[in-house]
Amino acid sequence: MSADNFLVQDFRPLFLTVEGVGPFREAPFELDFTDLNGEPCNFFLLMSQNGRGKTTLLEVMAALMGLLERREPALIGFEDLDNGDGRAQWDLLARLYRDGREETLIISLAAGRDEPWTLKPWGESLLRSHGADHWCPFGLQRHTSGRLETFGETDERVQDLLGAIRAHMGEAPVVFEDDPLAMPTLLSFSAYRDIARVTEGDRGIMQPGAWGYRPVQRFGQESRGWKDSLDNLLVWLSWLDDGRYQQALKTINERVFAGGTKFLRGVRKDPPQAVVENGTHRHRLDRLSSGEKSLVQIYLRTGVHMTRSTILIIDEMDIHLHSKWQHRLLNILKQMAKDHPGLTIIASSHARELIPAFAHDIAEPGLRKAGEIIEAGLG
């Protein structure tokens, strides 16, 4: 199918159901990403004590999204689904334009033992309640013998979606925070969002390692190599000279350094690296505080890689942040969700004082809020 005849108009999480995964051993556990009106939310908070499965659930979503870029049966990289008794099913509401008509589907990305797509079967009444016409389960099934087999790939709607995604794989982004590409992507930020000092590799004008489009991009603690560093990303944007570099500097300075004497000045040529001006002296990105490095990672990587159908996952969003910065981050993320209709933000936190920011009974124009508190004693 040609690009003119296919378009992803919306791609939103509805439910995640897991069984035999992490601490969720005793019975199936479900996350509900819908708001009070049953609409898929665009701002979701996941909260619990340590060790109750927040990170597990976020990692499962990233692993399942990765199924969209696989061309043959292969392990998805999550142990309980690949080798254990685990099963997981992630239901997403997809609105597609195909061959001159619009269709609303439930796409269930599933993986694990036996028949993982049966964790939450979708009948006609449930489909109708979400305005959907078809249920399209797709994923990886592990048989008792250990043999891996894909399922659902023969559905014409799944075929068209996979074909479009794979046709755009590696396509370079063209705009900062407003890229016209409509293909779905998941940007996953682990709780370890450090910026390491670059100590390995030749420095120069080099296309960043995570540059082109993929259904899943994972970001965490940086390697010390030049190619994958934020320094190289900023040097690359500067070299492109198409306005994205200036927009990136503006975004970081407004969201991270506003109100102080510190700011991201730009990049120098010798050695090529980013420069932060702090009052009377200058220093590297890796000399920022832990909280500042976390925020720079989130805003810069998201701005570069988000499409018009983006799911942004942030594990421990408040880590290393003073309470004042926590609320500032919340407000910025809310504004991003309002400004970008195709963006869904899913974040985890330990800070109970943030719960009111997700209150269902407090309407905020442009936001559809939801959340889940995983109770102590689970599992």
Side-chain angles (χ1 to χ4, degrees):
M1 179 177 293
S2 71
D4 293 335
N5 292 326
F6 185 88
L7 180 66
V8 178
Q9 297 177 317
D10 210 3
F11 200 82
R12 301 277 187 184
L14 285 175
F15 305 98
L16 173 69
T17 311
V18 299
E19 179 185 49
V21 171
F24 307 103
R25 301 283 175 181
E26 302 301 321
F29 176 83
E30 180 182 89
L31 281 182
D32 183 346
F33 295 102
T34 63
D35 66 8
L36 289 178
N37 298 316
E39 294 293 323
C41 70
N42 60 357
F43 201 39
F44 184 89
L45 178 66
L46 182 60
M47 184 168 290
S48 77
Q49 298 177 6
N50 288 328
R52 296 296 169 182
K54 296 189 306 300
T55 299
T56 294
L57 295 171
L58 300 180
E59 290 178 349
V60 165
M61 285 184 272
L64 292 176
M65 192 75 171
L67 292 168
L68 294 175
E69 61 183 69
R70 294 177 181 273
R71 296 181 181 272
E72 58 186 31
L75 297 179
I76 70 172
F78 192 90
E79 183 176 0
D80 290 337
L81 300 179
D82 287 334
N83 305 308
D85 293 327
R87 300 193 298 162
Q89 176 182 329
W90 196 18
D91 305 312
L92 301 112
L93 183 71
R95 294 187 175 93
L96 308 180
Y97 177 85
R98 302 174 61 244
D99 286 332
R101 66 184 185 275
E102 294 183 359
E103 292 182 304
T104 301
L105 320 173
I106 301 299
I107 296 178
S108 294
L109 301 176
R113 63 172 175 82
D114 301 331
E115 298 180 339
W117 63 91
T118 61
L119 278 169
K120 188 180 182 69
W122 285 75
E124 289 188 11
S125 61
L126 187 55
L127 286 171
R128 285 197 303 269
S129 70
H130 291 280
D133 310 305
H134 305 278
W135 180 35
C136 302
F138 169 74
L140 188 67
Q141 177 183 9
R142 182 169 49 78
H143 296 277
T144 304
S145 64
R147 180 173 63 90
L148 298 175
E149 181 182 11
T150 57
F151 58 85
E153 73 276 11
T154 59
D155 185 286
E156 64 177 20
R157 299 165 188 86
V158 172
Q159 286 182 345
D160 287 346
L161 176 62
L162 295 178
I165 286 173
R166 291 163 183 172
H168 288 282
M169 286 277 287
E171 184 174 311
V174 296
V175 181
F176 190 87
E177 259 195 21
D178 198 23
D179 197 275
L181 182 63
M183 291 298 103
T185 190
L186 183 149
L187 309 179
S188 177
F189 290 89
S190 79
Y192 305 99
R193 300 186 285 271
D194 193 18
I195 298 176
R197 181 180 180 182
V198 178
T199 58
E200 299 176 6
D202 296 330
R203 299 192 186 192
I205 300 173
M206 182 183 301
Q207 180 173 296
W211 179 243
Y213 165 72
R214 291 184 62 182
V216 179
Q217 298 270 23
R218 292 179 173 88
F219 304 107
Q221 187 166 358
E222 283 188 359
S223 70
R224 294 182 178 274
W226 171 250
K227 185 175 183 179
D228 297 319
S229 69
L230 278 184
D231 287 276
N232 178 45
L233 178 57
L234 285 166
V235 169
W236 179 255
L237 291 175
S238 175
W239 177 78
L240 291 176
D241 193 25
D242 58 7
R244 277 181 283 182
Y245 171 69
Q246 289 78 12
Q247 184 60 41
L249 295 186
K250 181 175 182 289
T251 296
I252 297 304
N253 287 327
E254 288 181 351
R255 296 179 182 174
V256 181
F257 301 123
T261 59
K262 186 185 301 185
F263 64 95
L264 181 58
R265 184 176 184 87
V267 296
R268 62 160 56 108
K269 294 182 178 180
D270 189 20
Q273 65 182 24
V275 178
V276 175
E277 188 152 324
N278 187 1
T280 60
H281 69 283
R282 298 175 181 178
H283 60 74
R284 304 183 306 267
L285 283 178
D286 62 280
R287 300 297 298 272
L288 292 169
S289 71
S290 296
E292 290 168 331
K293 287 190 281 190
S294 172
L295 296 178
V296 169
Q297 280 274 20
I298 291 171
Y299 297 137
L300 186 54
R301 300 284 191 191
T302 300
V304 167
H305 295 288
M306 68 183 293
T307 70
R308 294 196 176 182
S309 296
T310 295
I311 300 170
L312 173 59
I313 289 180
I314 308 174
D315 194 9
E316 297 193 30
M317 61 179 293
D318 52 316
I319 195 168
H320 302 306
L321 297 180
H322 183 274
S323 59
K324 178 180 176 181
W325 279 32
Q326 292 175 8
H327 287 279
R328 182 174 173 183
L329 171 60
L330 265 179
N331 290 333
I332 291 172
L333 292 177
K334 284 183 176 182
Q335 192 60 51
M336 289 174 64
K338 295 176 183 178
D339 292 342
H340 303 283
L343 176 63
T344 298
I345 298 171
I346 301 172
S348 74
S349 175
H350 296 287
R352 286 185 170 265
E353 59 268 24
L354 298 182
I355 292 178
F358 290 80
H360 291 191
D361 57 345
I362 301 177
E364 297 183 64
L367 292 181
R368 300 181 303 278
K369 297 176 290 184
E372 177 82 23
I373 300 176
I374 304 176
E375 298 294 343
L378 178 65

